[in-house]
Amino acid sequence: MTSLDHLGTWTGPHVDHELPGPRSAEFLALQQRHESNARTYPRRLPIAIEEASGSFVRDVDGNVFIDFLAGAGVLSLGHNHPDLVRVITDQLGRLTHGLDFPTPAKEEFIQAQLAMLPPGLRDRMKIHFCGPTGANAVDAALKLCKTATGRGDVISFQGGFHGSSHAAMAITGLVSQKQPVPNGVPGIHFFPYSYCARCPLDLTPDACATNCVSFLERSLRDGNGGVPLPAAVILEMVQGEGGIIPATGDFVRRVRELTRELDIPLVVDEVQSGCGRTGTWFAFEQYGIEPDVIVASKALSGIGTPVAVILYDERLDVWAPGAHTGTFRGNQLAFAAGAEAVRVFEREDILGNVHRRGEQILKSLAELHANPWVREVRGRGLMWGIEFADPGDGSPAGAVAGQVQAGALRRGLIVEVGGRADCVVRLMPPLNVTAEVVDTACAILVDAIADATLSADRGRQEA
């Protein structure tokens, strides 16, 4: 299990105090006073974290929680994995910052990443190091495709999330993020995504021939369709912030066929779904396609040390020297950790664990299908979402999801919410999480859902 050395060995959560505890409340008050109003996570998860190990975090009041947020998917091997701590500590005494000079740590990282690509891709893909965030990698991918094609428009999909920088925000579906910002990036076109639980075209599976792609196909082929041939189509295989929505196989394959036929670079955003999260190194592998550009960041180092890259077909390598730079693209600590993370994946059969624990979650949450407030339980690997909807009119039940999140936290489990109206409870545990921790977490979640939906039923009756 997980060891917090001076606290003993913890085999589960332990919450003694009302939340936030007194010391956490002090830290939260200081944060409110000094930090930007844009802060997010502590608003719903009111704790101040003191230390963490593996799948557990301890707050400053001594409460221990199972962490099924894992740094928003950054901590693929959990908190402070000893092998990653060891290589980072060693690298710290050698070199920490190298701009874009070649270094042993960087070359080892590059070879490790290329080796994780499918055989048909690894010999023809180039790698570009961006600034340290996924949003910068998204910006770089769009800039590369515009440079290579000489075109300016971009197609994205409703519900997608690609970051909060100016360009990444422009191709993100979340309208509330854009409304306060005038003069957004022009030339962005949104099309429906295969979100079958809430079909954007109001169809049912028996009446749909993947019409969301048909709409895209007809728009791009129609001389009066209003959409010029774009520089890129950007797509998440599993929409993360959008509510853990895996694309259907037919949708992805037809988008790939269309973009190849029209010579449009297909960019897959694997910032959240990549590095083993869905059970393959990249989620696109499960769809049998080969993209032109892959965007990766979050879990590349395995331990939260920031690094972001785009991997792209060598035919797109048209940039002049200095065309896209970034001072912090030479993070040697992230390179050392990322190469070691790949070795840990191989030594410890992490992808196998992702499959086994994913099946375990699916079985443990199967009873939720009988709950009328649960619209859908869905996911791949260790990327899961539980969508809540009003059983009367089917509208997103964000308040219920929020109650589930709060109830889980009181019981010692950290989960996130997302999707339309924040109606989806999201699970993203470390990829090396144990069966015992998953059992405990799922039991907590089922109890929290039972309480939240019972309360919602009472509220409906009183109304």
Side-chain angles (χ1 to χ4, degrees):
M1 199 57 62
T2 298
S3 175
L4 299 171
D5 293 338
H6 61 284
L7 296 176
T9 300
W10 292 87
T11 58
H14 181 75
V15 180
D16 275 339
H17 304 278
E18 289 295 319
L19 301 177
R23 291 199 64 212
S24 286
E26 292 175 9
F27 277 96
L28 290 166
L30 289 169
Q31 184 181 52
Q32 182 176 4
R33 178 180 176 185
H34 296 296
E35 289 190 35
S36 161
N37 197 44
R39 66 193 185 282
T40 55
Y41 294 106
R43 295 183 185 276
R44 292 182 179 270
L45 300 165
I47 59 174
I49 298 172
E50 181 155 358
E51 59 184 334
S53 181
S55 297
F56 294 89
V57 300
R58 186 177 78 89
D59 74 4
V60 294
D61 296 289
N63 300 306
V64 176
F65 304 87
I66 296 173
D67 184 4
F68 269 29
L69 176 57
V74 164
L75 301 167
S76 59
L77 296 175
H79 295 273
N80 308 333
H81 190 285
D83 290 340
L84 304 192
V85 170
R86 173 181 52 80
V87 297
I88 285 178
T89 302
D90 180 65
Q91 184 64 39
L92 193 62
R94 297 173 182 270
L95 178 67
T96 60
H97 182 275
L99 291 173
D100 63 352
F101 289 103
T103 71
K106 184 179 184 181
E107 182 59 25
E108 193 175 15
F109 176 86
I110 290 171
Q111 293 305 319
Q113 296 307 314
L114 293 176
M116 297 303 286
L117 291 173
L121 283 178
R122 65 181 63 140
D123 292 333
R124 57 183 172 85
M125 297 297 269
K126 291 287 192 100
I127 186 168
H128 177 84
F129 292 88
C130 312
T133 70
N136 186 262
V138 167
D139 284 6
L142 300 183
K143 183 175 170 182
L144 176 70
C145 292
K146 289 182 177 184
T147 304
T149 63
R151 307 175 202 141
D153 288 49
V154 174
I155 286 176
S156 189
F157 292 91
Q158 295 167 350
F161 184 89
H162 302 285
S164 298
S165 66
H166 198 52
M169 178 180 67
I171 59 170
T172 288
L174 189 62
V175 175
S176 62
Q177 196 179 55
K178 308 179 191 196
Q179 284 175 329
V181 184
N183 301 322
V185 176
I188 310 299
H189 308 275
F190 285 90
F191 281 83
Y193 183 84
S194 60
Y195 182 11
C196 297
R198 292 187 180 278
C199 177
L201 301 177
D202 202 24
L203 298 170
T204 58
D206 61 335
C208 177
T210 317
N211 286 274
C212 42
V213 181
S214 297
F215 180 38
L216 174 63
E217 290 172 341
R218 290 169 183 167
S219 297
L220 288 179
R221 291 193 173 110
D222 184 356
N224 286 315
V227 182
L229 197 66
V233 170
I234 186 164
L235 173 65
E236 291 172 278
M237 300 294 104
V238 181
Q239 288 190 341
E241 303 299 320
I244 312 296
I245 308 168
T248 66
D250 185 58
F251 174 82
V252 171
R253 286 188 290 272
R254 286 177 59 184
V255 169
R256 173 68 284 194
E257 290 168 3
L258 177 67
T259 53
R260 181 173 286 117
E261 177 188 339
L262 298 180
D263 195 25
I264 305 167
L266 176 63
V267 180
V268 293
D269 183 341
E270 296 268 9
V271 170
Q272 192 166 124
S273 57
C275 302
R277 173 59 56 185
T278 66
T280 47
W281 190 249
F282 287 120
F284 74 79
E285 299 172 56
Q286 300 174 38
Y287 291 88
I289 67 160
E290 292 186 350
D292 300 297
V293 184
I294 305 162
V295 181
S297 180
K298 280 184 184 288
L300 280 172
S301 75
I303 198 171
T305 309
V307 59
V309 303
I310 55 173
L311 297 142
Y312 58 90
D313 192 296
E314 58 189 3
R315 68 183 173 82
L316 298 175
D317 194 26
V318 297
W319 270 341
H324 194 84
T325 62
T327 302
F328 293 101
R329 67 194 186 278
N331 188 342
Q332 306 299 306
L333 304 182
F335 298 155
E340 180 63 19
V342 170
R343 290 190 287 267
V344 171
F345 265 75
E346 294 170 345
R347 285 198 305 267
E348 300 183 9
D349 186 27
I350 299 298
L351 292 179
N353 190 65
V354 172
H355 286 287
R356 292 187 291 273
R357 300 292 76 79
E359 288 295 320
Q360 183 183 355
I361 289 173
L362 180 62
K363 292 176 183 177
S364 297
L365 301 184
E367 65 183 84
L368 297 179
H369 293 288
N371 188 317
W373 287 90
V374 175
R375 189 181 191 103
E376 191 172 41
V377 179
R378 56 181 178 253
R380 293 199 174 204
L382 284 176
M383 190 174 182
W384 285 87
I386 305 159
E387 180 171 340
F388 293 88
D390 188 302
D393 59 13
S395 60
V400 173
Q403 290 175 21
V404 171
Q405 183 187 39
L409 187 68
R410 288 192 298 270
R411 292 168 170 85
L413 173 65
I414 297 172
V415 294
E416 175 60 321
V417 295
R420 269 72 168 182
D422 284 332
C423 72
V424 179
V425 171
R426 302 168 56 209
L427 313 179
M428 291 195 297
L431 305 187
N432 55 350
V433 65
T434 65
E436 294 82 2
V437 170
V438 168
D439 275 341
T440 302
C442 287
I444 289 173
L445 193 58
V446 168
D447 286 347
I449 290 171
D451 280 359
T453 55
L454 180 60
S455 175
D457 283 332
R458 289 174 182 152
R460 284 170 58 87
Q461 292 168 3
E462 292 171 0

